[in-house]
Amino acid sequence: MKALVWQGVNRVGIETVPDPQILQPTDAIVKVTSTAICGSDLHLLDGYVPSMVHGDILGHEFMGEVVEVGSEVKKIQVGDRVIVPFPISCGHCWYCQQGLTSLCDNSNPNFKLAETMWGYSPAGIYGYSHITGGYAGGQAQYARTVFADANLFKVPDHLSDDQLLFLTDIFPTGHMAAENCNIHPGDTVAVFGCGPVGQFTIRSAFLLGAEQVIAIDRFPERLDLARQAGAVTLNYEKEDVFEKLKMLTGGRGPDSVVDAVGMEAHGTGLMGVADAVKQTTRVLETERPHALRAAIMACRKGGTVSVPGVYGGLGDKIPLGSLMNKALTLHTGQTHVHRYLDRLLKHIQDGDIDPSVIITHRMPLDEAPQAYKIFKHKHENCIKCVLDPWADHSTHTQDAEKPETVEQ
């Protein structure tokens, strides 16, 4: 089959690899019909997540049709149309029973490596380095999925892939970020980062009862999409965001602030330059936590900071004094996708939200290396790119077997 593989820092390519096989009786093989590039895939591309190996298949946002099941799979059948949540749940450990599926105790075979980094291991994740299990991802024509009965989520035929695909990750991630804000009627929520997760956070905050959502970014196309959802928008390159947030909240500050950016935030001034230099060493600092710093400083006293943005290692100059002395609550974590699927599917079916609104690019899997370049550098006003593993070449045609270097 064809698959997109990691070939080194800033280097990905399409290769022909062996078809996946049933390895455990609880496995299922999915023929991938749609897959997408996630912002957190760029952390792998850029080399900021350790334990990547040449040949690793990328991708944790994918869906498709079940074509083979193991002997112990009972709930899922060949022919089922399914989405595949990115964190892998065993379905029966204490964390999975509590609905904390991204913390599953049994799905990361490389738990010792994760414990070295983080103290305890989270769940395994498809296509996201060996520190989270080394599982092959879904930017491919087929994918092996594990604990199929606990993980694969059957979806109705009358909804399109475009409407359903983001249930695998970014829609639940944005929704959990908003839920973690503990929103009350009349609340103001500020969201740093208007990429795909930020867009779903904005829409989910309104669904959960926020009166005002303030969206912060620098790209006009992202700010336009946020305004379409009803948000007030701020361009941090043109405005003093801290002062503007105070003005928009009567001097008190937002009730909750969301960091929907994560480890590769675009910093400004000397601090931004220092973060970028230190991050290149992978030792002095592995993150660029500019958005997290800003979120902590901007939040009102007694408020909540919600962090769906991915962090993996060490950040410098986090304003812990502000966090403590303002009595802030900090909520973060990989998304417990499974517990949100029923309610979010209902929102889609009821027309409360159309996830496909964020899609700006659709390209064949053959052109995934070029798609990564477009997505990383936000060329062509790119917000979200969906890949079709079975489509012919489009206007972005390139040699499918040629590795693509994605410039810094």
Side-chain angles (χ1 to χ4, degrees), residues 215-247:
I216 302 142
D217 208 296
R218 64 184 174 124
F219 293 98
E221 62 274 12
R222 293 182 172 199
L223 294 171
D224 287 345
L225 193 57
R227 277 192 292 271
Q228 291 174 28
V232 178
T233 59
L234 302 177
N235 184 329
Y236 67 81
E237 288 190 328
K238 297 181 179 180
E239 302 175 88
D240 185 326
V241 170
F242 183 80
E243 291 301 323
K244 196 73 172 182
L245 288 173
K246 287 173 65 177
M247 187 188 76

PDB file of all heavy atoms in Angstrom, residues 215-247:
ATOM      1  N   ALA A 215     -11.151  35.763  19.921  1.00  0.00           N
ATOM      2  CA  ALA A 215     -10.216  34.907  19.192  1.00  0.00           C
ATOM      3  C   ALA A 215      -8.973  35.703  18.811  1.00  0.00           C
ATOM      4  O   ALA A 215      -9.081  36.811  18.265  1.00  0.00           O
ATOM      5  CB  ALA A 215     -10.886  34.350  17.939  1.00  0.00           C
ATOM      6  N   ILE A 216      -7.803  35.125  19.076  1.00  0.00           N
ATOM      7  CA  ILE A 216      -6.531  35.834  18.912  1.00  0.00           C
ATOM      8  C   ILE A 216      -5.629  35.060  17.957  1.00  0.00           C
ATOM      9  O   ILE A 216      -5.351  33.876  18.174  1.00  0.00           O
ATOM     10  CB  ILE A 216      -5.838  36.005  20.279  1.00  0.00           C
ATOM     11  CG1 ILE A 216      -6.753  36.762  21.251  1.00  0.00           C
ATOM     12  CG2 ILE A 216      -4.503  36.711  20.124  1.00  0.00           C
ATOM     13  CD1 ILE A 216      -6.703  36.267  22.658  1.00  0.00           C
ATOM     14  N   ASP A 217      -5.188  35.707  16.905  1.00  0.00           N
ATOM     15  CA  ASP A 217      -4.303  35.095  15.914  1.00  0.00           C
ATOM     16  C   ASP A 217      -3.699  36.217  15.097  1.00  0.00           C
ATOM     17  O   ASP A 217      -3.890  37.395  15.414  1.00  0.00           O
ATOM     18  CB  ASP A 217      -5.088  34.119  15.020  1.00  0.00           C
ATOM     19  CG  ASP A 217      -4.213  32.990  14.471  1.00  0.00           C
ATOM     20  OD1 ASP A 217      -3.284  33.298  13.693  1.00  0.00           O
ATOM     21  OD2 ASP A 217      -4.464  31.813  14.792  1.00  0.00           O
ATOM     22  N   ARG A 218      -2.958  35.862  14.037  1.00  0.00           N
ATOM     23  CA  ARG A 218      -2.392  36.896  13.164  1.00  0.00           C
ATOM     24  C   ARG A 218      -2.720  36.669  11.699  1.00  0.00           C
ATOM     25  O   ARG A 218      -2.407  37.513  10.863  1.00  0.00           O
ATOM     26  CB  ARG A 218      -0.874  36.970  13.339  1.00  0.00           C
ATOM     27  CG  ARG A 218      -0.110  35.706  12.925  1.00  0.00           C
ATOM     28  CD  ARG A 218       1.365  35.823  13.228  1.00  0.00           C
ATOM     29  NE  ARG A 218       2.069  34.575  12.969  1.00  0.00           N
ATOM     30  CZ  ARG A 218       3.109  34.445  12.156  1.00  0.00           C
ATOM     31  NH1 ARG A 218       3.574  35.498  11.488  1.00  0.00           N
ATOM     32  NH2 ARG A 218       3.693  33.284  11.986  1.00  0.00           N
ATOM     33  N   PHE A 219      -3.328  35.530  11.366  1.00  0.00           N
ATOM     34  CA  PHE A 219      -3.625  35.218   9.972  1.00  0.00           C
ATOM     35  C   PHE A 219      -5.056  35.630   9.637  1.00  0.00           C
ATOM     36  O   PHE A 219      -6.006  35.152  10.274  1.00  0.00           O
ATOM     37  CB  PHE A 219      -3.409  33.731   9.687  1.00  0.00           C
ATOM     38  CG  PHE A 219      -1.971  33.324   9.782  1.00  0.00           C
ATOM     39  CD1 PHE A 219      -1.470  32.737  10.939  1.00  0.00           C
ATOM     40  CD2 PHE A 219      -1.096  33.569   8.728  1.00  0.00           C
ATOM     41  CE1 PHE A 219      -0.137  32.383  11.038  1.00  0.00           C
ATOM     42  CE2 PHE A 219       0.242  33.213   8.820  1.00  0.00           C
ATOM     43  CZ  PHE A 219       0.726  32.627   9.973  1.00  0.00           C
ATOM     44  N   PRO A 220      -5.238  36.486   8.627  1.00  0.00           N
ATOM     45  CA  PRO A 220      -6.573  37.012   8.320  1.00  0.00           C
ATOM     46  C   PRO A 220      -7.604  35.931   8.042  1.00  0.00           C
ATOM     47  O   PRO A 220      -8.762  36.044   8.477  1.00  0.00           O
ATOM     48  CB  PRO A 220      -6.332  37.888   7.079  1.00  0.00           C
ATOM     49  CG  PRO A 220      -4.893  38.278   7.164  1.00  0.00           C
ATOM     50  CD  PRO A 220      -4.193  37.108   7.781  1.00  0.00           C
ATOM     51  N   GLU A 221      -7.210  34.863   7.322  1.00  0.00           N
ATOM     52  CA  GLU A 221      -8.192  33.826   6.993  1.00  0.00           C
ATOM     53  C   GLU A 221      -8.690  33.109   8.243  1.00  0.00           C
ATOM     54  O   GLU A 221      -9.873  32.722   8.331  1.00  0.00           O
ATOM     55  CB  GLU A 221      -7.600  32.824   5.994  1.00  0.00           C
ATOM     56  CG  GLU A 221      -6.398  32.036   6.471  1.00  0.00           C
ATOM     57  CD  GLU A 221      -5.063  32.741   6.265  1.00  0.00           C
ATOM     58  OE1 GLU A 221      -5.064  33.964   5.957  1.00  0.00           O
ATOM     59  OE2 GLU A 221      -4.018  32.071   6.406  1.00  0.00           O
ATOM     60  N   ARG A 222      -7.831  32.925   9.226  1.00  0.00           N
ATOM     61  CA  ARG A 222      -8.250  32.290  10.475  1.00  0.00           C
ATOM     62  C   ARG A 222      -9.150  33.225  11.278  1.00  0.00           C
ATOM     63  O   ARG A 222     -10.152  32.792  11.875  1.00  0.00           O
ATOM     64  CB  ARG A 222      -7.027  31.909  11.305  1.00  0.00           C
ATOM     65  CG  ARG A 222      -6.174  30.805  10.692  1.00  0.00           C
ATOM     66  CD  ARG A 222      -5.020  30.451  11.595  1.00  0.00           C
ATOM     67  NE  ARG A 222      -4.305  29.275  11.129  1.00  0.00           N
ATOM     68  CZ  ARG A 222      -3.509  28.543  11.889  1.00  0.00           C
ATOM     69  NH1 ARG A 222      -3.320  28.878  13.152  1.00  0.00           N
ATOM     70  NH2 ARG A 222      -2.899  27.469  11.403  1.00  0.00           N
ATOM     71  N   LEU A 223      -8.786  34.489  11.322  1.00  0.00           N
ATOM     72  CA  LEU A 223      -9.611  35.455  12.042  1.00  0.00           C
ATOM     73  C   LEU A 223     -10.972  35.620  11.369  1.00  0.00           C
ATOM     74  O   LEU A 223     -11.997  35.758  12.050  1.00  0.00           O
ATOM     75  CB  LEU A 223      -8.878  36.793  12.129  1.00  0.00           C
ATOM     76  CG  LEU A 223      -7.602  36.771  12.980  1.00  0.00           C
ATOM     77  CD1 LEU A 223      -6.826  38.077  12.832  1.00  0.00           C
ATOM     78  CD2 LEU A 223      -7.924  36.512  14.451  1.00  0.00           C
ATOM     79  N   ASP A 224     -11.013  35.584  10.048  1.00  0.00           N
ATOM     80  CA  ASP A 224     -12.291  35.659   9.331  1.00  0.00           C
ATOM     81  C   ASP A 224     -13.194  34.490   9.704  1.00  0.00           C
ATOM     82  O   ASP A 224     -14.400  34.659   9.934  1.00  0.00           O
ATOM     83  CB  ASP A 224     -12.062  35.657   7.817  1.00  0.00           C
ATOM     84  CG  ASP A 224     -11.490  36.969   7.303  1.00  0.00           C
ATOM     85  OD1 ASP A 224     -11.543  37.971   8.050  1.00  0.00           O
ATOM     86  OD2 ASP A 224     -10.983  36.996   6.156  1.00  0.00           O
ATOM     87  N   LEU A 225     -12.619  33.288   9.760  1.00  0.00           N
ATOM     88  CA  LEU A 225     -13.410  32.101  10.095  1.00  0.00           C
ATOM     89  C   LEU A 225     -13.908  32.178  11.541  1.00  0.00           C
ATOM     90  O   LEU A 225     -15.031  31.751  11.843  1.00  0.00           O
ATOM     91  CB  LEU A 225     -12.565  30.842   9.879  1.00  0.00           C
ATOM     92  CG  LEU A 225     -13.305  29.498   9.869  1.00  0.00           C
ATOM     93  CD1 LEU A 225     -14.403  29.473   8.808  1.00  0.00           C
ATOM     94  CD2 LEU A 225     -12.314  28.359   9.633  1.00  0.00           C
ATOM     95  N   ALA A 226     -13.097  32.726  12.423  1.00  0.00           N
ATOM     96  CA  ALA A 226     -13.532  32.908  13.810  1.00  0.00           C
ATOM     97  C   ALA A 226     -14.678  33.900  13.902  1.00  0.00           C
ATOM     98  O   ALA A 226     -15.639  33.700  14.663  1.00  0.00           O
ATOM     99  CB  ALA A 226     -12.349  33.377  14.664  1.00  0.00           C
ATOM    100  N   ARG A 227     -14.604  34.976  13.129  1.00  0.00           N
ATOM    101  CA  ARG A 227     -15.698  35.956  13.121  1.00  0.00           C
ATOM    102  C   ARG A 227     -16.993  35.340  12.603  1.00  0.00           C
ATOM    103  O   ARG A 227     -18.087  35.669  13.083  1.00  0.00           O
ATOM    104  CB  ARG A 227     -15.316  37.173  12.275  1.00  0.00           C
ATOM    105  CG  ARG A 227     -14.472  38.198  13.014  1.00  0.00           C
ATOM    106  CD  ARG A 227     -14.357  39.504  12.242  1.00  0.00           C
ATOM    107  NE  ARG A 227     -13.582  39.322  11.020  1.00  0.00           N
ATOM    108  CZ  ARG A 227     -12.253  39.454  10.950  1.00  0.00           C
ATOM    109  NH1 ARG A 227     -11.571  39.760  12.035  1.00  0.00           N
ATOM    110  NH2 ARG A 227     -11.621  39.283   9.802  1.00  0.00           N
ATOM    111  N   GLN A 228     -16.876  34.458  11.623  1.00  0.00           N
ATOM    112  CA  GLN A 228     -18.069  33.788  11.102  1.00  0.00           C
ATOM    113  C   GLN A 228     -18.779  32.977  12.181  1.00  0.00           C
ATOM    114  O   GLN A 228     -19.993  32.765  12.106  1.00  0.00           O
ATOM    115  CB  GLN A 228     -17.690  32.880   9.929  1.00  0.00           C
ATOM    116  CG  GLN A 228     -17.241  33.615   8.681  1.00  0.00           C
ATOM    117  CD  GLN A 228     -16.728  32.675   7.603  1.00  0.00           C
ATOM    118  OE1 GLN A 228     -17.145  31.514   7.517  1.00  0.00           O
ATOM    119  NE2 GLN A 228     -15.820  33.156   6.769  1.00  0.00           N
ATOM    120  N   ALA A 229     -18.017  32.522  13.175  1.00  0.00           N
ATOM    121  CA  ALA A 229     -18.607  31.762  14.278  1.00  0.00           C
ATOM    122  C   ALA A 229     -19.155  32.675  15.372  1.00  0.00           C
ATOM    123  O   ALA A 229     -19.730  32.190  16.350  1.00  0.00           O
ATOM    124  CB  ALA A 229     -17.567  30.817  14.875  1.00  0.00           C
ATOM    125  N   GLY A 230     -18.954  33.996  15.239  1.00  0.00           N
ATOM    126  CA  GLY A 230     -19.477  34.938  16.208  1.00  0.00           C
ATOM    127  C   GLY A 230     -18.459  35.506  17.173  1.00  0.00           C
ATOM    128  O   GLY A 230     -18.821  36.250  18.099  1.00  0.00           O
ATOM    129  N   ALA A 231     -17.182  35.200  16.976  1.00  0.00           N
ATOM    130  CA  ALA A 231     -16.143  35.667  17.895  1.00  0.00           C
ATOM    131  C   ALA A 231     -15.722  37.098  17.585  1.00  0.00           C
ATOM    132  O   ALA A 231     -15.751  37.546  16.429  1.00  0.00           O
ATOM    133  CB  ALA A 231     -14.925  34.748  17.829  1.00  0.00           C
ATOM    134  N   VAL A 232     -15.310  37.810  18.630  1.00  0.00           N
ATOM    135  CA  VAL A 232     -14.562  39.059  18.485  1.00  0.00           C
ATOM    136  C   VAL A 232     -13.127  38.673  18.199  1.00  0.00           C
ATOM    137  O   VAL A 232     -12.597  37.738  18.818  1.00  0.00           O
ATOM    138  CB  VAL A 232     -14.641  39.899  19.771  1.00  0.00           C
ATOM    139  CG1 VAL A 232     -13.815  41.171  19.641  1.00  0.00           C
ATOM    140  CG2 VAL A 232     -16.086  40.216  20.121  1.00  0.00           C
ATOM    141  N   THR A 233     -12.468  39.340  17.266  1.00  0.00           N
ATOM    142  CA  THR A 233     -11.124  38.917  16.875  1.00  0.00           C
ATOM    143  C   THR A 233     -10.076  39.995  17.159  1.00  0.00           C
ATOM    144  O   THR A 233     -10.350  41.197  17.040  1.00  0.00           O
ATOM    145  CB  THR A 233     -11.066  38.544  15.386  1.00  0.00           C
ATOM    146  OG1 THR A 233     -11.446  39.669  14.592  1.00  0.00           O
ATOM    147  CG2 THR A 233     -11.997  37.373  15.085  1.00  0.00           C
ATOM    148  N   LEU A 234      -8.894  39.509  17.519  1.00  0.00           N
ATOM    149  CA  LEU A 234      -7.743  40.377  17.762  1.00  0.00           C
ATOM    150  C   LEU A 234      -6.545  39.844  16.999  1.00  0.00           C
ATOM    151  O   LEU A 234      -6.250  38.643  17.059  1.00  0.00           O
ATOM    152  CB  LEU A 234      -7.405  40.427  19.260  1.00  0.00           C
ATOM    153  CG  LEU A 234      -8.476  40.907  20.231  1.00  0.00           C
ATOM    154  CD1 LEU A 234      -7.957  40.818  21.661  1.00  0.00           C
ATOM    155  CD2 LEU A 234      -8.908  42.314  19.905  1.00  0.00           C
ATOM    156  N   ASN A 235      -5.855  40.727  16.296  1.00  0.00           N
ATOM    157  CA  ASN A 235      -4.614  40.380  15.622  1.00  0.00           C
ATOM    158  C   ASN A 235      -3.456  40.806  16.518  1.00  0.00           C
ATOM    159  O   ASN A 235      -3.217  41.991  16.726  1.00  0.00           O
ATOM    160  CB  ASN A 235      -4.521  41.091  14.273  1.00  0.00           C
ATOM    161  CG  ASN A 235      -3.296  40.686  13.467  1.00  0.00           C
ATOM    162  OD1 ASN A 235      -2.242  40.364  14.024  1.00  0.00           O
ATOM    163  ND2 ASN A 235      -3.406  40.724  12.152  1.00  0.00           N
ATOM    164  N   TYR A 236      -2.731  39.819  17.071  1.00  0.00           N
ATOM    165  CA  TYR A 236      -1.724  40.143  18.079  1.00  0.00           C
ATOM    166  C   TYR A 236      -0.522  40.881  17.508  1.00  0.00           C
ATOM    167  O   TYR A 236       0.289  41.431  18.268  1.00  0.00           O
ATOM    168  CB  TYR A 236      -1.284  38.895  18.845  1.00  0.00           C
ATOM    169  CG  TYR A 236      -0.528  37.849  18.053  1.00  0.00           C
ATOM    170  CD1 TYR A 236       0.834  37.974  17.794  1.00  0.00           C
ATOM    171  CD2 TYR A 236      -1.171  36.706  17.592  1.00  0.00           C
ATOM    172  CE1 TYR A 236       1.526  37.010  17.102  1.00  0.00           C
ATOM    173  CE2 TYR A 236      -0.487  35.732  16.896  1.00  0.00           C
ATOM    174  CZ  TYR A 236       0.858  35.884  16.646  1.00  0.00           C
ATOM    175  OH  TYR A 236       1.542  34.920  15.951  1.00  0.00           O
ATOM    176  N   GLU A 237      -0.379  40.899  16.184  1.00  0.00           N
ATOM    177  CA  GLU A 237       0.706  41.675  15.594  1.00  0.00           C
ATOM    178  C   GLU A 237       0.335  43.149  15.441  1.00  0.00           C
ATOM    179  O   GLU A 237       1.218  43.987  15.216  1.00  0.00           O
ATOM    180  CB  GLU A 237       1.091  41.101  14.230  1.00  0.00           C
ATOM    181  CG  GLU A 237       1.815  39.775  14.318  1.00  0.00           C
ATOM    182  CD  GLU A 237       2.407  39.326  12.999  1.00  0.00           C
ATOM    183  OE1 GLU A 237       1.819  39.639  11.937  1.00  0.00           O
ATOM    184  OE2 GLU A 237       3.457  38.659  13.015  1.00  0.00           O
ATOM    185  N   LYS A 238      -0.948  43.458  15.573  1.00  0.00           N
ATOM    186  CA  LYS A 238      -1.407  44.831  15.357  1.00  0.00           C
ATOM    187  C   LYS A 238      -1.984  45.486  16.605  1.00  0.00           C
ATOM    188  O   LYS A 238      -2.220  46.693  16.615  1.00  0.00           O
ATOM    189  CB  LYS A 238      -2.452  44.850  14.240  1.00  0.00           C
ATOM    190  CG  LYS A 238      -1.917  44.393  12.889  1.00  0.00           C
ATOM    191  CD  LYS A 238      -3.004  44.451  11.822  1.00  0.00           C
ATOM    192  CE  LYS A 238      -2.461  44.019  10.463  1.00  0.00           C
ATOM    193  NZ  LYS A 238      -3.513  44.069   9.399  1.00  0.00           N
ATOM    194  N   GLU A 239      -2.264  44.680  17.646  1.00  0.00           N
ATOM    195  CA  GLU A 239      -2.922  45.215  18.833  1.00  0.00           C
ATOM    196  C   GLU A 239      -2.220  44.724  20.090  1.00  0.00           C
ATOM    197  O   GLU A 239      -1.608  43.655  20.099  1.00  0.00           O
ATOM    198  CB  GLU A 239      -4.395  44.784  18.863  1.00  0.00           C
ATOM    199  CG  GLU A 239      -5.189  45.230  17.644  1.00  0.00           C
ATOM    200  CD  GLU A 239      -6.605  44.676  17.659  1.00  0.00           C
ATOM    201  OE1 GLU A 239      -7.477  45.334  18.252  1.00  0.00           O
ATOM    202  OE2 GLU A 239      -6.825  43.600  17.075  1.00  0.00           O
ATOM    203  N   ASP A 240      -2.340  45.491  21.148  1.00  0.00           N
ATOM    204  CA  ASP A 240      -1.884  45.062  22.470  1.00  0.00           C
ATOM    205  C   ASP A 240      -2.967  44.156  23.032  1.00  0.00           C
ATOM    206  O   ASP A 240      -3.992  44.627  23.543  1.00  0.00           O
ATOM    207  CB  ASP A 240      -1.654  46.281  23.364  1.00  0.00           C
ATOM    208  CG  ASP A 240      -1.056  45.911  24.721  1.00  0.00           C
ATOM    209  OD1 ASP A 240      -1.390  44.822  25.238  1.00  0.00           O
ATOM    210  OD2 ASP A 240      -0.282  46.714  25.271  1.00  0.00           O
ATOM    211  N   VAL A 241      -2.750  42.860  22.937  1.00  0.00           N
ATOM    212  CA  VAL A 241      -3.799  41.907  23.274  1.00  0.00           C
ATOM    213  C   VAL A 241      -4.197  42.009  24.747  1.00  0.00           C
ATOM    214  O   VAL A 241      -5.393  41.992  25.076  1.00  0.00           O
ATOM    215  CB  VAL A 241      -3.349  40.466  22.928  1.00  0.00           C
ATOM    216  CG1 VAL A 241      -4.328  39.436  23.486  1.00  0.00           C
ATOM    217  CG2 VAL A 241      -3.224  40.314  21.422  1.00  0.00           C
ATOM    218  N   PHE A 242      -3.232  42.133  25.632  1.00  0.00           N
ATOM    219  CA  PHE A 242      -3.538  42.195  27.058  1.00  0.00           C
ATOM    220  C   PHE A 242      -4.456  43.376  27.365  1.00  0.00           C
ATOM    221  O   PHE A 242      -5.481  43.234  28.052  1.00  0.00           O
ATOM    222  CB  PHE A 242      -2.247  42.293  27.864  1.00  0.00           C
ATOM    223  CG  PHE A 242      -2.457  42.280  29.352  1.00  0.00           C
ATOM    224  CD1 PHE A 242      -2.680  41.094  30.028  1.00  0.00           C
ATOM    225  CD2 PHE A 242      -2.418  43.460  30.084  1.00  0.00           C
ATOM    226  CE1 PHE A 242      -2.882  41.081  31.406  1.00  0.00           C
ATOM    227  CE2 PHE A 242      -2.612  43.464  31.454  1.00  0.00           C
ATOM    228  CZ  PHE A 242      -2.842  42.264  32.119  1.00  0.00           C
ATOM    229  N   GLU A 243      -4.106  44.541  26.856  1.00  0.00           N
ATOM    230  CA  GLU A 243      -4.922  45.733  27.117  1.00  0.00           C
ATOM    231  C   GLU A 243      -6.287  45.627  26.443  1.00  0.00           C
ATOM    232  O   GLU A 243      -7.299  46.041  27.007  1.00  0.00           O
ATOM    233  CB  GLU A 243      -4.181  46.990  26.646  1.00  0.00           C
ATOM    234  CG  GLU A 243      -2.959  47.323  27.465  1.00  0.00           C
ATOM    235  CD  GLU A 243      -3.287  47.560  28.936  1.00  0.00           C
ATOM    236  OE1 GLU A 243      -4.362  48.150  29.220  1.00  0.00           O
ATOM    237  OE2 GLU A 243      -2.488  47.144  29.790  1.00  0.00           O
ATOM    238  N   LYS A 244      -6.323  45.055  25.251  1.00  0.00           N
ATOM    239  CA  LYS A 244      -7.597  44.917  24.548  1.00  0.00           C
ATOM    240  C   LYS A 244      -8.524  43.949  25.282  1.00  0.00           C
ATOM    241  O   LYS A 244      -9.739  44.173  25.373  1.00  0.00           O
ATOM    242  CB  LYS A 244      -7.333  44.414  23.122  1.00  0.00           C
ATOM    243  CG  LYS A 244      -8.507  44.584  22.177  1.00  0.00           C
ATOM    244  CD  LYS A 244      -8.705  46.024  21.775  1.00  0.00           C
ATOM    245  CE  LYS A 244      -9.773  46.138  20.677  1.00  0.00           C
ATOM    246  NZ  LYS A 244      -9.953  47.528  20.243  1.00  0.00           N
ATOM    247  N   LEU A 245      -7.969  42.875  25.820  1.00  0.00           N
ATOM    248  CA  LEU A 245      -8.793  41.931  26.579  1.00  0.00           C
ATOM    249  C   LEU A 245      -9.372  42.591  27.828  1.00  0.00           C
ATOM    250  O   LEU A 245     -10.532  42.353  28.188  1.00  0.00           O
ATOM    251  CB  LEU A 245      -7.967  40.702  26.957  1.00  0.00           C
ATOM    252  CG  LEU A 245      -7.621  39.738  25.819  1.00  0.00           C
ATOM    253  CD1 LEU A 245      -6.662  38.651  26.312  1.00  0.00           C
ATOM    254  CD2 LEU A 245      -8.864  39.103  25.225  1.00  0.00           C
ATOM    255  N   LYS A 246      -8.578  43.411  28.473  1.00  0.00           N
ATOM    256  CA  LYS A 246      -9.094  44.140  29.640  1.00  0.00           C
ATOM    257  C   LYS A 246     -10.235  45.056  29.234  1.00  0.00           C
ATOM    258  O   LYS A 246     -11.270  45.119  29.921  1.00  0.00           O
ATOM    259  CB  LYS A 246      -7.969  44.940  30.299  1.00  0.00           C
ATOM    260  CG  LYS A 246      -6.965  44.079  31.058  1.00  0.00           C
ATOM    261  CD  LYS A 246      -5.775  44.897  31.552  1.00  0.00           C
ATOM    262  CE  LYS A 246      -6.197  45.928  32.584  1.00  0.00           C
ATOM    263  NZ  LYS A 246      -5.008  46.669  33.109  1.00  0.00           N
ATOM    264  N   MET A 247     -10.053  45.752  28.120  1.00  0.00           N
ATOM    265  CA  MET A 247     -11.076  46.683  27.664  1.00  0.00           C
ATOM    266  C   MET A 247     -12.384  45.959  27.320  1.00  0.00           C
ATOM    267  O   MET A 247     -13.486  46.429  27.632  1.00  0.00           O
ATOM    268  CB  MET A 247     -10.578  47.441  26.430  1.00  0.00           C
ATOM    269  CG  MET A 247     -11.515  48.553  25.975  1.00  0.00           C
ATOM    270  SD  MET A 247     -11.018  49.256  24.392  1.00  0.00           S
ATOM    271  CE  MET A 247     -11.567  47.965  23.284  1.00  0.00           C
TER     272      MET A 247
END
